[in-house]
Amino acid sequence: MAVETLTIERLSAQHGPRVISLRGPLTLKDVPLFQNAIRREESFPVIIVDLTDVPYIDSSGLGSLVSAYVTRHKATRRIALSGVNERVLKLFETTRVESLFLIFPTLDDAIVGLTTAAEA
């Protein structure tokens, strides 16, 4: 049985928020990789974590997302999520953390929504 591995890609945009695109499950073994990716973006006021290609998140992955939210919130920075599938959204709802995050259906929606909000 093949073990799925998380990969993280930084997508650069000339204007607007920084995007971190995840591919694969966000689980205990990949939490340090995710945390390092978030730390590298600490100077940006807004980051989007694109979860379009994330099939599931375990409790450690969820904890790392919440930790990223708390750290950024304390520094008056924001984190948004895009492409959250039904399985992951159900986890957020069950654990009552969905209200912490700005959640957009697609990455394009997140970029437009956050860019428009910043310009207003």
Side-chain angles (χ1 to χ4, degrees), residues 10-47:
R10 290 169 57 191
L11 305 176
S12 60
Q14 300 215 326
H15 303 288
R18 176 69 90 179
V19 177
I20 301 173
S21 180
L22 279 55
R23 286 186 182 83
L26 180 55
T27 61
L28 175 62
K29 71 180 184 59
D30 298 305
V31 164
L33 179 66
F34 174 72
Q35 289 172 332
N36 288 337
I38 292 291
R39 277 189 212 107
R40 281 193 297 270
E41 310 304 330
E42 68 185 14
S43 65
F44 290 90
V46 179
I47 61 170

PDB file of all heavy atoms in Angstrom, residues 10-47:
ATOM      1  N   ARG A  10       4.558  26.949  -2.824  1.00  0.00           N
ATOM      2  CA  ARG A  10       4.296  28.382  -2.614  1.00  0.00           C
ATOM      3  C   ARG A  10       3.965  28.988  -3.958  1.00  0.00           C
ATOM      4  O   ARG A  10       4.727  28.864  -4.906  1.00  0.00           O
ATOM      5  CB  ARG A  10       5.522  29.064  -2.023  1.00  0.00           C
ATOM      6  CG  ARG A  10       5.787  28.660  -0.597  1.00  0.00           C
ATOM      7  CD  ARG A  10       7.126  29.127  -0.115  1.00  0.00           C
ATOM      8  NE  ARG A  10       7.270  30.575  -0.224  1.00  0.00           N
ATOM      9  CZ  ARG A  10       8.415  31.209  -0.056  1.00  0.00           C
ATOM     10  NH1 ARG A  10       9.512  30.539   0.201  1.00  0.00           N
ATOM     11  NH2 ARG A  10       8.468  32.514  -0.160  1.00  0.00           N
ATOM     12  N   LEU A  11       2.816  29.622  -4.041  1.00  0.00           N
ATOM     13  CA  LEU A  11       2.407  30.283  -5.265  1.00  0.00           C
ATOM     14  C   LEU A  11       2.584  31.770  -5.060  1.00  0.00           C
ATOM     15  O   LEU A  11       2.042  32.338  -4.116  1.00  0.00           O
ATOM     16  CB  LEU A  11       0.950  29.956  -5.592  1.00  0.00           C
ATOM     17  CG  LEU A  11       0.596  28.467  -5.683  1.00  0.00           C
ATOM     18  CD1 LEU A  11      -0.890  28.298  -5.903  1.00  0.00           C
ATOM     19  CD2 LEU A  11       1.382  27.792  -6.776  1.00  0.00           C
ATOM     20  N   SER A  12       3.348  32.389  -5.918  1.00  0.00           N
ATOM     21  CA  SER A  12       3.579  33.819  -5.741  1.00  0.00           C
ATOM     22  C   SER A  12       2.664  34.619  -6.654  1.00  0.00           C
ATOM     23  O   SER A  12       2.433  34.249  -7.793  1.00  0.00           O
ATOM     24  CB  SER A  12       5.041  34.170  -6.026  1.00  0.00           C
ATOM     25  OG  SER A  12       5.378  33.829  -7.344  1.00  0.00           O
ATOM     26  N   ALA A  13       2.156  35.671  -6.109  1.00  0.00           N
ATOM     27  CA  ALA A  13       1.332  36.596  -6.866  1.00  0.00           C
ATOM     28  C   ALA A  13       1.980  37.967  -6.734  1.00  0.00           C
ATOM     29  O   ALA A  13       2.586  38.278  -5.711  1.00  0.00           O
ATOM     30  CB  ALA A  13      -0.087  36.624  -6.315  1.00  0.00           C
ATOM     31  N   GLN A  14       1.866  38.765  -7.758  1.00  0.00           N
ATOM     32  CA  GLN A  14       2.469  40.087  -7.701  1.00  0.00           C
ATOM     33  C   GLN A  14       1.757  40.964  -6.675  1.00  0.00           C
ATOM     34  O   GLN A  14       2.378  41.768  -6.007  1.00  0.00           O
ATOM     35  CB  GLN A  14       2.434  40.729  -9.067  1.00  0.00           C
ATOM     36  CG  GLN A  14       3.197  39.894 -10.079  1.00  0.00           C
ATOM     37  CD  GLN A  14       3.899  40.746 -11.092  1.00  0.00           C
ATOM     38  OE1 GLN A  14       3.402  41.782 -11.460  1.00  0.00           O
ATOM     39  NE2 GLN A  14       5.054  40.309 -11.520  1.00  0.00           N
ATOM     40  N   HIS A  15       0.459  40.820  -6.589  1.00  0.00           N
ATOM     41  CA  HIS A  15      -0.326  41.601  -5.633  1.00  0.00           C
ATOM     42  C   HIS A  15      -1.237  40.639  -4.880  1.00  0.00           C
ATOM     43  O   HIS A  15      -1.574  39.585  -5.368  1.00  0.00           O
ATOM     44  CB  HIS A  15      -1.173  42.646  -6.359  1.00  0.00           C
ATOM     45  CG  HIS A  15      -0.343  43.564  -7.213  1.00  0.00           C
ATOM     46  ND1 HIS A  15       0.470  44.527  -6.677  1.00  0.00           N
ATOM     47  CD2 HIS A  15      -0.191  43.644  -8.551  1.00  0.00           C
ATOM     48  CE1 HIS A  15       1.088  45.163  -7.647  1.00  0.00           C
ATOM     49  NE2 HIS A  15       0.702  44.647  -8.805  1.00  0.00           N
ATOM     50  N   GLY A  16      -1.634  41.048  -3.713  1.00  0.00           N
ATOM     51  CA  GLY A  16      -2.586  40.250  -2.954  1.00  0.00           C
ATOM     52  C   GLY A  16      -1.911  39.294  -1.993  1.00  0.00           C
ATOM     53  O   GLY A  16      -0.707  39.368  -1.751  1.00  0.00           O
ATOM     54  N   PRO A  17      -2.685  38.372  -1.460  1.00  0.00           N
ATOM     55  CA  PRO A  17      -2.182  37.471  -0.420  1.00  0.00           C
ATOM     56  C   PRO A  17      -1.226  36.419  -0.962  1.00  0.00           C
ATOM     57  O   PRO A  17      -1.240  36.084  -2.138  1.00  0.00           O
ATOM     58  CB  PRO A  17      -3.464  36.820   0.114  1.00  0.00           C
ATOM     59  CG  PRO A  17      -4.453  36.964  -0.974  1.00  0.00           C
ATOM     60  CD  PRO A  17      -4.094  38.176  -1.750  1.00  0.00           C
ATOM     61  N   ARG A  18      -0.407  35.886  -0.088  1.00  0.00           N
ATOM     62  CA  ARG A  18       0.492  34.774  -0.405  1.00  0.00           C
ATOM     63  C   ARG A  18      -0.324  33.486  -0.359  1.00  0.00           C
ATOM     64  O   ARG A  18      -1.215  33.343   0.475  1.00  0.00           O
ATOM     65  CB  ARG A  18       1.607  34.731   0.620  1.00  0.00           C
ATOM     66  CG  ARG A  18       2.555  33.588   0.463  1.00  0.00           C
ATOM     67  CD  ARG A  18       3.402  33.717  -0.756  1.00  0.00           C
ATOM     68  NE  ARG A  18       4.601  34.435  -0.399  1.00  0.00           N
ATOM     69  CZ  ARG A  18       5.569  34.701  -1.243  1.00  0.00           C
ATOM     70  NH1 ARG A  18       5.470  34.337  -2.486  1.00  0.00           N
ATOM     71  NH2 ARG A  18       6.625  35.352  -0.857  1.00  0.00           N
ATOM     72  N   VAL A  19      -0.021  32.546  -1.256  1.00  0.00           N
ATOM     73  CA  VAL A  19      -0.762  31.285  -1.323  1.00  0.00           C
ATOM     74  C   VAL A  19       0.183  30.120  -1.064  1.00  0.00           C
ATOM     75  O   VAL A  19       1.266  30.046  -1.642  1.00  0.00           O
ATOM     76  CB  VAL A  19      -1.437  31.099  -2.704  1.00  0.00           C
ATOM     77  CG1 VAL A  19      -2.133  29.751  -2.782  1.00  0.00           C
ATOM     78  CG2 VAL A  19      -2.410  32.230  -2.987  1.00  0.00           C
ATOM     79  N   ILE A  20      -0.262  29.223  -0.192  1.00  0.00           N
ATOM     80  CA  ILE A  20       0.432  27.965   0.055  1.00  0.00           C
ATOM     81  C   ILE A  20      -0.529  26.865  -0.391  1.00  0.00           C
ATOM     82  O   ILE A  20      -1.619  26.728   0.170  1.00  0.00           O
ATOM     83  CB  ILE A  20       0.780  27.786   1.542  1.00  0.00           C
ATOM     84  CG1 ILE A  20       1.670  28.918   2.023  1.00  0.00           C
ATOM     85  CG2 ILE A  20       1.447  26.436   1.774  1.00  0.00           C
ATOM     86  CD1 ILE A  20       1.906  28.897   3.509  1.00  0.00           C
ATOM     87  N   SER A  21      -0.127  26.100  -1.397  1.00  0.00           N
ATOM     88  CA  SER A  21      -0.984  25.049  -1.936  1.00  0.00           C
ATOM     89  C   SER A  21      -0.516  23.689  -1.424  1.00  0.00           C
ATOM     90  O   SER A  21       0.649  23.315  -1.610  1.00  0.00           O
ATOM     91  CB  SER A  21      -0.923  25.087  -3.469  1.00  0.00           C
ATOM     92  OG  SER A  21      -1.740  24.084  -4.018  1.00  0.00           O
ATOM     93  N   LEU A  22      -1.422  22.962  -0.777  1.00  0.00           N
ATOM     94  CA  LEU A  22      -1.104  21.642  -0.230  1.00  0.00           C
ATOM     95  C   LEU A  22      -1.651  20.558  -1.142  1.00  0.00           C
ATOM     96  O   LEU A  22      -2.746  20.697  -1.693  1.00  0.00           O
ATOM     97  CB  LEU A  22      -1.715  21.475   1.165  1.00  0.00           C
ATOM     98  CG  LEU A  22      -0.975  22.082   2.357  1.00  0.00           C
ATOM     99  CD1 LEU A  22      -0.704  23.543   2.196  1.00  0.00           C
ATOM    100  CD2 LEU A  22      -1.726  21.796   3.632  1.00  0.00           C
ATOM    101  N   ARG A  23      -0.883  19.476  -1.280  1.00  0.00           N
ATOM    102  CA  ARG A  23      -1.331  18.301  -2.042  1.00  0.00           C
ATOM    103  C   ARG A  23      -1.043  17.066  -1.212  1.00  0.00           C
ATOM    104  O   ARG A  23       0.106  16.834  -0.839  1.00  0.00           O
ATOM    105  CB  ARG A  23      -0.590  18.212  -3.373  1.00  0.00           C
ATOM    106  CG  ARG A  23      -1.048  19.234  -4.367  1.00  0.00           C
ATOM    107  CD  ARG A  23      -0.399  19.030  -5.738  1.00  0.00           C
ATOM    108  NE  ARG A  23      -0.853  20.069  -6.643  1.00  0.00           N
ATOM    109  CZ  ARG A  23      -0.340  21.288  -6.713  1.00  0.00           C
ATOM    110  NH1 ARG A  23       0.645  21.628  -5.925  1.00  0.00           N
ATOM    111  NH2 ARG A  23      -0.815  22.176  -7.573  1.00  0.00           N
ATOM    112  N   GLY A  24      -2.088  16.311  -0.916  1.00  0.00           N
ATOM    113  CA  GLY A  24      -1.945  15.132  -0.082  1.00  0.00           C
ATOM    114  C   GLY A  24      -2.543  15.391   1.286  1.00  0.00           C
ATOM    115  O   GLY A  24      -2.923  16.517   1.610  1.00  0.00           O
ATOM    116  N   PRO A  25      -2.628  14.346   2.099  1.00  0.00           N
ATOM    117  CA  PRO A  25      -3.234  14.494   3.428  1.00  0.00           C
ATOM    118  C   PRO A  25      -2.333  15.269   4.389  1.00  0.00           C
ATOM    119  O   PRO A  25      -1.110  15.164   4.325  1.00  0.00           O
ATOM    120  CB  PRO A  25      -3.412  13.045   3.899  1.00  0.00           C
ATOM    121  CG  PRO A  25      -2.394  12.274   3.129  1.00  0.00           C
ATOM    122  CD  PRO A  25      -2.218  12.967   1.819  1.00  0.00           C
ATOM    123  N   LEU A  26      -2.965  16.066   5.245  1.00  0.00           N
ATOM    124  CA  LEU A  26      -2.236  16.791   6.293  1.00  0.00           C
ATOM    125  C   LEU A  26      -2.378  15.965   7.567  1.00  0.00           C
ATOM    126  O   LEU A  26      -3.414  15.986   8.224  1.00  0.00           O
ATOM    127  CB  LEU A  26      -2.807  18.206   6.470  1.00  0.00           C
ATOM    128  CG  LEU A  26      -2.156  19.088   7.536  1.00  0.00           C
ATOM    129  CD1 LEU A  26      -0.653  19.214   7.329  1.00  0.00           C
ATOM    130  CD2 LEU A  26      -2.818  20.450   7.555  1.00  0.00           C
ATOM    131  N   THR A  27      -1.320  15.211   7.882  1.00  0.00           N
ATOM    132  CA  THR A  27      -1.353  14.294   9.015  1.00  0.00           C
ATOM    133  C   THR A  27      -0.137  14.511   9.918  1.00  0.00           C
ATOM    134  O   THR A  27       0.746  15.313   9.600  1.00  0.00           O
ATOM    135  CB  THR A  27      -1.366  12.828   8.525  1.00  0.00           C
ATOM    136  OG1 THR A  27      -0.166  12.585   7.777  1.00  0.00           O
ATOM    137  CG2 THR A  27      -2.585  12.534   7.664  1.00  0.00           C
ATOM    138  N   LEU A  28      -0.108  13.779  11.006  1.00  0.00           N
ATOM    139  CA  LEU A  28       0.946  13.910  12.020  1.00  0.00           C
ATOM    140  C   LEU A  28       2.345  13.950  11.413  1.00  0.00           C
ATOM    141  O   LEU A  28       3.148  14.807  11.762  1.00  0.00           O
ATOM    142  CB  LEU A  28       0.840  12.765  13.032  1.00  0.00           C
ATOM    143  CG  LEU A  28       1.947  12.688  14.087  1.00  0.00           C
ATOM    144  CD1 LEU A  28       1.962  13.930  14.957  1.00  0.00           C
ATOM    145  CD2 LEU A  28       1.794  11.438  14.925  1.00  0.00           C
ATOM    146  N   LYS A  29       2.626  13.057  10.479  1.00  0.00           N
ATOM    147  CA  LYS A  29       3.990  12.984   9.949  1.00  0.00           C
ATOM    148  C   LYS A  29       4.379  14.209   9.125  1.00  0.00           C
ATOM    149  O   LYS A  29       5.559  14.489   8.950  1.00  0.00           O
ATOM    150  CB  LYS A  29       4.213  11.695   9.154  1.00  0.00           C
ATOM    151  CG  LYS A  29       3.509  11.624   7.835  1.00  0.00           C
ATOM    152  CD  LYS A  29       3.823  10.299   7.146  1.00  0.00           C
ATOM    153  CE  LYS A  29       3.230  10.221   5.782  1.00  0.00           C
ATOM    154  NZ  LYS A  29       3.676  11.260   4.858  1.00  0.00           N
ATOM    155  N   ASP A  30       3.401  14.949   8.642  1.00  0.00           N
ATOM    156  CA  ASP A  30       3.686  16.108   7.797  1.00  0.00           C
ATOM    157  C   ASP A  30       3.502  17.457   8.504  1.00  0.00           C
ATOM    158  O   ASP A  30       3.719  18.501   7.887  1.00  0.00           O
ATOM    159  CB  ASP A  30       2.796  16.072   6.552  1.00  0.00           C
ATOM    160  CG  ASP A  30       3.076  14.837   5.717  1.00  0.00           C
ATOM    161  OD1 ASP A  30       4.245  14.638   5.350  1.00  0.00           O
ATOM    162  OD2 ASP A  30       2.129  14.076   5.444  1.00  0.00           O
ATOM    163  N   VAL A  31       3.115  17.435   9.766  1.00  0.00           N
ATOM    164  CA  VAL A  31       2.895  18.682  10.501  1.00  0.00           C
ATOM    165  C   VAL A  31       4.142  19.566  10.513  1.00  0.00           C
ATOM    166  O   VAL A  31       4.046  20.772  10.256  1.00  0.00           O
ATOM    167  CB  VAL A  31       2.359  18.402  11.922  1.00  0.00           C
ATOM    168  CG1 VAL A  31       2.489  19.621  12.819  1.00  0.00           C
ATOM    169  CG2 VAL A  31       0.897  17.960  11.841  1.00  0.00           C
ATOM    170  N   PRO A  32       5.354  19.033  10.779  1.00  0.00           N
ATOM    171  CA  PRO A  32       6.536  19.917  10.763  1.00  0.00           C
ATOM    172  C   PRO A  32       6.749  20.603   9.404  1.00  0.00           C
ATOM    173  O   PRO A  32       7.104  21.784   9.363  1.00  0.00           O
ATOM    174  CB  PRO A  32       7.698  18.972  11.095  1.00  0.00           C
ATOM    175  CG  PRO A  32       7.062  17.859  11.855  1.00  0.00           C
ATOM    176  CD  PRO A  32       5.697  17.685  11.232  1.00  0.00           C
ATOM    177  N   LEU A  33       6.510  19.900   8.326  1.00  0.00           N
ATOM    178  CA  LEU A  33       6.630  20.482   6.991  1.00  0.00           C
ATOM    179  C   LEU A  33       5.644  21.639   6.818  1.00  0.00           C
ATOM    180  O   LEU A  33       6.005  22.717   6.332  1.00  0.00           O
ATOM    181  CB  LEU A  33       6.371  19.391   5.934  1.00  0.00           C
ATOM    182  CG  LEU A  33       6.421  19.796   4.471  1.00  0.00           C
ATOM    183  CD1 LEU A  33       7.832  20.202   4.077  1.00  0.00           C
ATOM    184  CD2 LEU A  33       5.936  18.641   3.599  1.00  0.00           C
ATOM    185  N   PHE A  34       4.404  21.437   7.257  1.00  0.00           N
ATOM    186  CA  PHE A  34       3.388  22.474   7.166  1.00  0.00           C
ATOM    187  C   PHE A  34       3.749  23.670   8.049  1.00  0.00           C
ATOM    188  O   PHE A  34       3.675  24.814   7.623  1.00  0.00           O
ATOM    189  CB  PHE A  34       2.013  21.912   7.549  1.00  0.00           C
ATOM    190  CG  PHE A  34       0.950  22.957   7.625  1.00  0.00           C
ATOM    191  CD1 PHE A  34       0.451  23.538   6.468  1.00  0.00           C
ATOM    192  CD2 PHE A  34       0.453  23.386   8.848  1.00  0.00           C
ATOM    193  CE1 PHE A  34      -0.522  24.531   6.528  1.00  0.00           C
ATOM    194  CE2 PHE A  34      -0.516  24.364   8.921  1.00  0.00           C
ATOM    195  CZ  PHE A  34      -1.003  24.934   7.752  1.00  0.00           C
ATOM    196  N   GLN A  35       4.166  23.404   9.269  1.00  0.00           N
ATOM    197  CA  GLN A  35       4.521  24.487  10.189  1.00  0.00           C
ATOM    198  C   GLN A  35       5.671  25.333   9.641  1.00  0.00           C
ATOM    199  O   GLN A  35       5.658  26.559   9.750  1.00  0.00           O
ATOM    200  CB  GLN A  35       4.880  23.921  11.565  1.00  0.00           C
ATOM    201  CG  GLN A  35       3.682  23.378  12.304  1.00  0.00           C
ATOM    202  CD  GLN A  35       4.057  22.636  13.572  1.00  0.00           C
ATOM    203  OE1 GLN A  35       5.145  22.070  13.682  1.00  0.00           O
ATOM    204  NE2 GLN A  35       3.151  22.636  14.537  1.00  0.00           N
ATOM    205  N   ASN A  36       6.660  24.689   9.050  1.00  0.00           N
ATOM    206  CA  ASN A  36       7.778  25.428   8.456  1.00  0.00           C
ATOM    207  C   ASN A  36       7.310  26.297   7.295  1.00  0.00           C
ATOM    208  O   ASN A  36       7.771  27.429   7.141  1.00  0.00           O
ATOM    209  CB  ASN A  36       8.882  24.474   7.994  1.00  0.00           C
ATOM    210  CG  ASN A  36       9.645  23.874   9.148  1.00  0.00           C
ATOM    211  OD1 ASN A  36       9.687  24.428  10.240  1.00  0.00           O
ATOM    212  ND2 ASN A  36      10.250  22.720   8.920  1.00  0.00           N
ATOM    213  N   ALA A  37       6.405  25.780   6.489  1.00  0.00           N
ATOM    214  CA  ALA A  37       5.873  26.555   5.362  1.00  0.00           C
ATOM    215  C   ALA A  37       5.128  27.784   5.867  1.00  0.00           C
ATOM    216  O   ALA A  37       5.267  28.877   5.306  1.00  0.00           O
ATOM    217  CB  ALA A  37       4.963  25.682   4.503  1.00  0.00           C
ATOM    218  N   ILE A  38       4.357  27.633   6.931  1.00  0.00           N
ATOM    219  CA  ILE A  38       3.619  28.762   7.508  1.00  0.00           C
ATOM    220  C   ILE A  38       4.596  29.785   8.091  1.00  0.00           C
ATOM    221  O   ILE A  38       4.435  30.985   7.888  1.00  0.00           O
ATOM    222  CB  ILE A  38       2.619  28.275   8.590  1.00  0.00           C
ATOM    223  CG1 ILE A  38       1.486  27.461   7.956  1.00  0.00           C
ATOM    224  CG2 ILE A  38       2.079  29.442   9.407  1.00  0.00           C
ATOM    225  CD1 ILE A  38       0.537  28.264   7.101  1.00  0.00           C
ATOM    226  N   ARG A  39       5.615  29.320   8.779  1.00  0.00           N
ATOM    227  CA  ARG A  39       6.602  30.231   9.378  1.00  0.00           C
ATOM    228  C   ARG A  39       7.312  31.070   8.318  1.00  0.00           C
ATOM    229  O   ARG A  39       7.628  32.229   8.548  1.00  0.00           O
ATOM    230  CB  ARG A  39       7.631  29.456  10.191  1.00  0.00           C
ATOM    231  CG  ARG A  39       7.153  29.132  11.571  1.00  0.00           C
ATOM    232  CD  ARG A  39       8.277  28.566  12.433  1.00  0.00           C
ATOM    233  NE  ARG A  39       7.687  27.632  13.358  1.00  0.00           N
ATOM    234  CZ  ARG A  39       7.798  26.311  13.287  1.00  0.00           C
ATOM    235  NH1 ARG A  39       8.516  25.744  12.352  1.00  0.00           N
ATOM    236  NH2 ARG A  39       7.210  25.535  14.167  1.00  0.00           N
ATOM    237  N   ARG A  40       7.590  30.469   7.170  1.00  0.00           N
ATOM    238  CA  ARG A  40       8.268  31.212   6.102  1.00  0.00           C
ATOM    239  C   ARG A  40       7.426  32.375   5.584  1.00  0.00           C
ATOM    240  O   ARG A  40       7.955  33.291   4.969  1.00  0.00           O
ATOM    241  CB  ARG A  40       8.628  30.279   4.945  1.00  0.00           C
ATOM    242  CG  ARG A  40       9.872  29.445   5.209  1.00  0.00           C
ATOM    243  CD  ARG A  40      10.364  28.771   3.945  1.00  0.00           C
ATOM    244  NE  ARG A  40       9.410  27.837   3.399  1.00  0.00           N
ATOM    245  CZ  ARG A  40       9.333  26.547   3.702  1.00  0.00           C
ATOM    246  NH1 ARG A  40      10.175  26.021   4.569  1.00  0.00           N
ATOM    247  NH2 ARG A  40       8.434  25.768   3.138  1.00  0.00           N
ATOM    248  N   GLU A  41       6.130  32.329   5.814  1.00  0.00           N
ATOM    249  CA  GLU A  41       5.233  33.375   5.320  1.00  0.00           C
ATOM    250  C   GLU A  41       4.811  34.345   6.419  1.00  0.00           C
ATOM    251  O   GLU A  41       3.891  35.118   6.235  1.00  0.00           O
ATOM    252  CB  GLU A  41       3.984  32.733   4.692  1.00  0.00           C
ATOM    253  CG  GLU A  41       4.256  31.640   3.687  1.00  0.00           C
ATOM    254  CD  GLU A  41       5.146  32.060   2.538  1.00  0.00           C
ATOM    255  OE1 GLU A  41       5.126  33.246   2.157  1.00  0.00           O
ATOM    256  OE2 GLU A  41       5.870  31.201   2.014  1.00  0.00           O
ATOM    257  N   GLU A  42       5.487  34.327   7.550  1.00  0.00           N
ATOM    258  CA  GLU A  42       5.026  35.117   8.696  1.00  0.00           C
ATOM    259  C   GLU A  42       5.007  36.620   8.442  1.00  0.00           C
ATOM    260  O   GLU A  42       4.263  37.347   9.083  1.00  0.00           O
ATOM    261  CB  GLU A  42       5.825  34.789   9.948  1.00  0.00           C
ATOM    262  CG  GLU A  42       7.258  35.218   9.917  1.00  0.00           C
ATOM    263  CD  GLU A  42       8.023  34.759  11.152  1.00  0.00           C
ATOM    264  OE1 GLU A  42       7.531  33.907  11.894  1.00  0.00           O
ATOM    265  OE2 GLU A  42       9.119  35.282  11.361  1.00  0.00           O
ATOM    266  N   SER A  43       5.787  37.106   7.499  1.00  0.00           N
ATOM    267  CA  SER A  43       5.812  38.547   7.251  1.00  0.00           C
ATOM    268  C   SER A  43       4.635  39.028   6.397  1.00  0.00           C
ATOM    269  O   SER A  43       4.383  40.224   6.317  1.00  0.00           O
ATOM    270  CB  SER A  43       7.121  38.946   6.582  1.00  0.00           C
ATOM    271  OG  SER A  43       7.210  38.363   5.305  1.00  0.00           O
ATOM    272  N   PHE A  44       3.930  38.108   5.777  1.00  0.00           N
ATOM    273  CA  PHE A  44       2.801  38.497   4.926  1.00  0.00           C
ATOM    274  C   PHE A  44       1.545  38.704   5.766  1.00  0.00           C
ATOM    275  O   PHE A  44       1.225  37.876   6.621  1.00  0.00           O
ATOM    276  CB  PHE A  44       2.545  37.443   3.849  1.00  0.00           C
ATOM    277  CG  PHE A  44       3.625  37.410   2.817  1.00  0.00           C
ATOM    278  CD1 PHE A  44       4.729  36.589   2.975  1.00  0.00           C
ATOM    279  CD2 PHE A  44       3.554  38.221   1.695  1.00  0.00           C
ATOM    280  CE1 PHE A  44       5.739  36.568   2.032  1.00  0.00           C
ATOM    281  CE2 PHE A  44       4.555  38.212   0.749  1.00  0.00           C
ATOM    282  CZ  PHE A  44       5.655  37.386   0.917  1.00  0.00           C
ATOM    283  N   PRO A  45       0.808  39.787   5.527  1.00  0.00           N
ATOM    284  CA  PRO A  45      -0.379  40.067   6.343  1.00  0.00           C
ATOM    285  C   PRO A  45      -1.504  39.046   6.139  1.00  0.00           C
ATOM    286  O   PRO A  45      -2.263  38.783   7.056  1.00  0.00           O
ATOM    287  CB  PRO A  45      -0.814  41.463   5.910  1.00  0.00           C
ATOM    288  CG  PRO A  45      -0.120  41.731   4.631  1.00  0.00           C
ATOM    289  CD  PRO A  45       1.087  40.857   4.565  1.00  0.00           C
ATOM    290  N   VAL A  46      -1.594  38.475   4.936  1.00  0.00           N
ATOM    291  CA  VAL A  46      -2.641  37.493   4.649  1.00  0.00           C
ATOM    292  C   VAL A  46      -2.043  36.336   3.870  1.00  0.00           C
ATOM    293  O   VAL A  46      -1.307  36.544   2.906  1.00  0.00           O
ATOM    294  CB  VAL A  46      -3.780  38.123   3.802  1.00  0.00           C
ATOM    295  CG1 VAL A  46      -4.848  37.082   3.502  1.00  0.00           C
ATOM    296  CG2 VAL A  46      -4.388  39.317   4.504  1.00  0.00           C
ATOM    297  N   ILE A  47      -2.348  35.118   4.316  1.00  0.00           N
ATOM    298  CA  ILE A  47      -1.982  33.945   3.525  1.00  0.00           C
ATOM    299  C   ILE A  47      -3.220  33.102   3.296  1.00  0.00           C
ATOM    300  O   ILE A  47      -4.144  33.077   4.112  1.00  0.00           O
ATOM    301  CB  ILE A  47      -0.862  33.095   4.161  1.00  0.00           C
ATOM    302  CG1 ILE A  47      -1.266  32.555   5.525  1.00  0.00           C
ATOM    303  CG2 ILE A  47       0.433  33.840   4.233  1.00  0.00           C
ATOM    304  CD1 ILE A  47      -0.294  31.531   6.075  1.00  0.00           C
TER     305      ILE A  47
END
